[in-house]
Amino acid sequence: MSDLLLQSANSMNIYRRALDVTGNNITNVNTEGYSRTRLTVVENPPTFTGKNAVGLGARSTDVYRGYHNFVSEQLQKAGSYFSKYSAIDTLSSQLNQLFPDGKSLLETGFDQYFSTWQTLANDPMNTSAKAAVLNTQSVLQDRMNITNQSLQSLQQEVNKKISNAVDKINSLAKQLVDNNNKLSKTGKEDSQAKNNLLDTRDQLMKEMNQLVDAKLFDHGNDQIDLYINDTKISLITDNRAIELQALPNEYGKGLQKNTQLDVWIQQPGTGEMRNISGLATGGELAGLVSFRDGLLNRVQDELGLASSGVMIASNILHRQGVDSFGNSGGDLFSSNGQSDANFYTAFEQVAYAHDQNKGSAVLSVNIYGANFNPNYSYDARYQANPDLSALQARTYLLERDLTQPSGFRLSDKRTGENIKIQSGDGSTNHPLQFEGLEVAVSSGSLRDTDKFEVRFGSDALQQTKVMITDPQKIAYRS
């Protein structure tokens, strides 16, 4: 009789606990990250009276968490890519606002500028036509400034978003470590508390993957590791969070105009700082870097090249004419207030050295055909006819590589595409020539594997100034 009452009481306890588990499931039906649980009930071993087995009822052994690791990882991956493309879409929409009806303010300004010159060519003596040229020239300068301000504002927004994403990733990594420490201290008998902590971990991983695609490895000995996708870049190692940092890139630190932030990590053990911006393939961080490197920088390079080309070509042609006073035409545009022999070098026409270069070399960058003898007259220098048609809207990566015929390897920094060096060895007398540019060592010495980021004209929009304001100084005749 006592055994029967004991089994009945035990059954009541099992049902009460099952109701508790069910009630907890109902209460948390809308809780973010909660996993459904169920009570595991098993039969008690029977006792034997002679050859007969007598059942002793049942017992609850655990609270099972309804969780599937594969499904969870797939959901995290899907969320990671959604966040990436959402970031790209949001920023691309802002960039597209600079191109209403498929044309930018700058392109419309170019059209108007060329149109007024065509009108003046048809009627060279028309004073109003000359004034119209100067007016559209000023409008073009204003539109360059507006476009530049818009692009820089977008760049600053990307920098801010990268910095914020890095801060959030660091915070989540610390929370994951803290959560794991709590898990290690939770007894096996307190299965509900353990399940809650595992739910918290899954929710933290969901939030982490919205920022960067990450994979967590639980070693089962109270230790976890967290890596960026399939790389060996650790965000958590040996249950210790490794902080990311948002810093300028490794080329020309502190010297570059319009500095862009990259994502860096200090390698455990070596202490070496490593730029990992391009390693993330999912999450908001990957979207920000992809938009900046694939779209924003390219647009800035394209518009910078177009603007510098128009300014240089306009000055070259205008120098060949004569104004109303019988004087040779002067510069229509200047770059950062500089003209004459300094016009070309006023652009961001430079090779930024990698901060880990072992050599001390400083490289000069010029337009092919524009590196004239400084003893020539100014007009003779302009008649050197720099090769503008070959210039490309790129940011180059130039690496010292003695296995190459020229002693250098050249590639597009954005795409990784290898670019052929047409001639030269990088010396002053035999500069490297490629895509309309000449690059030579102007001072210092090179060491093997030294790297440089080579730019031309990407800052032309913010450098442009109008030089002529008097219509009578328009050189309209040869």
Side-chain angles (χ1 to χ4, degrees):
M1 184 68 177
S2 60
D3 289 344
L4 178 62
L5 291 175
L6 182 62
Q7 290 183 36
S8 298
N10 189 46
S11 297
M12 292 295 294
N13 286 331
I14 291 174
Y15 287 129
R16 179 184 59 77
R17 194 175 181 193
L19 285 173
D20 289 341
V21 171
T22 301
N24 190 52
N25 286 336
I26 295 172
T27 302
N28 288 283
V29 67
N30 292 318
T31 300
E32 184 74 18
Y34 178 78
S35 297
R36 182 179 62 85
T37 57
R38 64 180 176 83
L39 187 66
T40 303
V41 180
V42 298
E43 179 185 10
N44 283 324
T47 61
F48 289 87
T49 304
K51 295 182 179 180
N52 300 315
V54 179
L56 295 179
R59 70 183 188 278
S60 60
T61 59
D62 197 5
V63 177
Y64 173 77
R65 179 170 173 254
Y67 172 82
H68 197 293
N69 188 60
F70 174 78
V71 173
S72 180
E73 286 184 356
Q74 293 305 306
L75 288 173
Q76 289 174 9
K77 183 181 291 187
S80 183
Y81 283 110
F82 179 80
S83 294
K84 172 184 176 178
Y85 292 112
S86 292
I88 293 174
D89 181 66
T90 299
L91 292 168
S92 296
S93 297
Q94 293 178 242
L95 183 60
N96 286 338
Q97 292 175 11
L98 298 177
F99 302 90
D101 302 322
K103 297 185 76 172
S104 68
L105 282 174
L106 198 55
E107 187 176 355
T108 304
F110 285 149
D111 291 343
Q112 294 172 350
Y113 175 66
F114 295 136
S115 177
T116 54
W117 268 109
Q118 184 61 55
T119 300
L120 179 60
N122 294 334
D123 188 4
M125 302 303 292
N126 190 326
T127 304
S128 296
K130 296 177 186 176
V133 167
L134 293 182
N135 180 62
T136 56
Q137 188 172 303
S138 296
V139 169
L140 182 58
Q141 174 187 302
D142 291 340
R143 293 188 175 189
M144 286 182 178
N145 291 335
I146 292 171
T147 302
N148 174 68
Q149 290 169 7
S150 299
L151 291 173
Q152 292 312 310
S153 177
L154 196 51
Q155 177 60 65
Q156 291 169 10
E157 182 177 348
V158 172
N159 280 348
K160 184 176 180 180
K161 286 179 178 291
I162 287 176
S163 183
N164 288 341
V166 165
D167 288 343
K168 291 177 182 177
I169 290 170
N170 289 337
S171 175
L172 288 170
K174 291 177 182 177
Q175 291 179 61
L176 281 164
V177 169
D178 181 62
N179 184 76
N180 195 63
N181 289 334
K182 292 177 181 177
L183 271 170
S184 66
K185 296 175 183 177
T186 303
K188 293 182 179 180
E189 69 282 356
D190 196 350
S191 55
Q192 188 61 57
K194 182 177 181 180
N195 287 337
N196 290 340
L197 288 170
L198 289 172
D199 284 345
T200 299
R201 186 170 76 179
D202 285 346
Q203 181 61 25
L204 290 172
M205 281 300 299
K206 178 182 177 182
E207 294 175 23
M208 178 69 80
N209 273 275
Q210 289 173 351
L211 295 166
V212 63
D213 49 331
K215 289 187 176 181
L216 184 142
F217 295 88
D218 188 345
H219 300 294
N221 57 353
D222 300 333
Q223 298 291 316
I224 59 173
D225 288 335
L226 183 68
Y227 298 102
I228 294 178
N229 50 60
D230 292 320
T231 70
K232 293 299 181 182
I233 302 301
S234 302
L235 298 177
I236 298 175
T237 183
D238 297 329
N239 214 37
R240 178 171 59 90
I242 310 298
E243 284 198 347
L244 300 180
Q245 298 182 56
L247 301 170
N249 75 26
E250 60 269 47
Y251 292 93
K253 284 187 177 179
L255 300 176
Q256 291 192 25
K257 300 173 182 177
N258 311 321
T259 298
Q260 300 174 348
L261 294 182
D262 278 336
V263 182
W264 293 79
I265 191 168
Q266 188 172 29
Q267 300 279 64
T270 65
E272 177 187 355
M273 294 295 293
R274 180 177 177 183
N275 188 335
I276 61 170
S277 298
L279 296 182
T281 58
E284 181 186 3
L285 192 59
L288 294 171
V289 174
S290 178
F291 166 78
R292 183 193 67 192
D293 294 348
L295 291 176
L296 182 57
N297 286 354
R298 181 174 180 178
V299 167
Q300 189 165 353
D301 285 348
E302 293 276 4
L303 294 179
L305 177 61
S307 301
S308 57
V310 167
M311 288 186 287
I312 293 171
S314 295
N315 284 359
I316 290 173
L317 292 173
H318 198 250
R319 279 280 171 176
Q320 299 173 15
V322 178
D323 64 21
S324 299
F325 303 108
N327 299 320
S328 297
D331 286 339
L332 292 169
F333 298 98
S334 75
S335 176
N336 199 23
Q338 298 185 34
S339 57
D340 295 350
N342 294 321
F343 181 83
Y344 299 96
T345 58
F347 293 124
E348 187 176 39
Q349 185 173 323
V350 67
Y352 292 112
H354 192 286
D355 61 8
Q356 296 298 315
N357 281 358
K358 294 182 172 61
S360 58
V362 175
L363 306 188
S364 63
V365 182
N366 288 288
I367 303 174
Y368 177 68
N371 191 16
F372 339 103
N373 187 325
N375 295 320
Y376 289 171
S377 67
Y378 180 76
D379 290 335
R381 288 200 295 270
Y382 263 106
Q383 291 170 6
N385 190 26
D387 187 5
L388 304 180
S389 64
L391 294 172
Q392 301 293 318
R394 300 184 192 265
T395 296
Y396 299 93
L397 180 59
L398 183 65
E399 181 177 3
R400 182 65 162 165
D401 185 348
L402 297 178
T403 67
Q404 300 298 309
S406 65
F408 292 87
R409 182 184 299 277
L410 183 69
S411 61
D412 186 311
K413 190 170 184 287
R414 284 197 304 269
T415 66
E417 173 192 355
N418 288 325
I419 300 170
K420 182 180 179 180
I421 296 175
Q422 296 166 330
S423 63
D425 58 12
S427 64
T428 303
N429 293 328
H430 300 92
L432 301 173
Q433 294 184 352
F434 56 89
E435 296 190 344
L437 294 178
E438 292 183 336
V439 177
V441 177
S442 59
S443 65
S445 60
L446 280 168
R447 296 281 296 276
D448 195 26
T449 74
D450 281 358
K451 298 177 183 179
F452 300 84
E453 182 182 284
V454 180
R455 296 183 180 184
F456 169 75
S458 62
D459 67 337
L461 291 176
Q462 71 187 72
Q463 299 280 41
T464 305
K465 306 292 180 184
V466 171
M467 292 294 289
I468 294 178
T469 58
D470 183 355
Q472 298 305 315
K473 290 187 177 182
I474 294 290
Y476 61 94
R477 54 194 175 93
S478 58

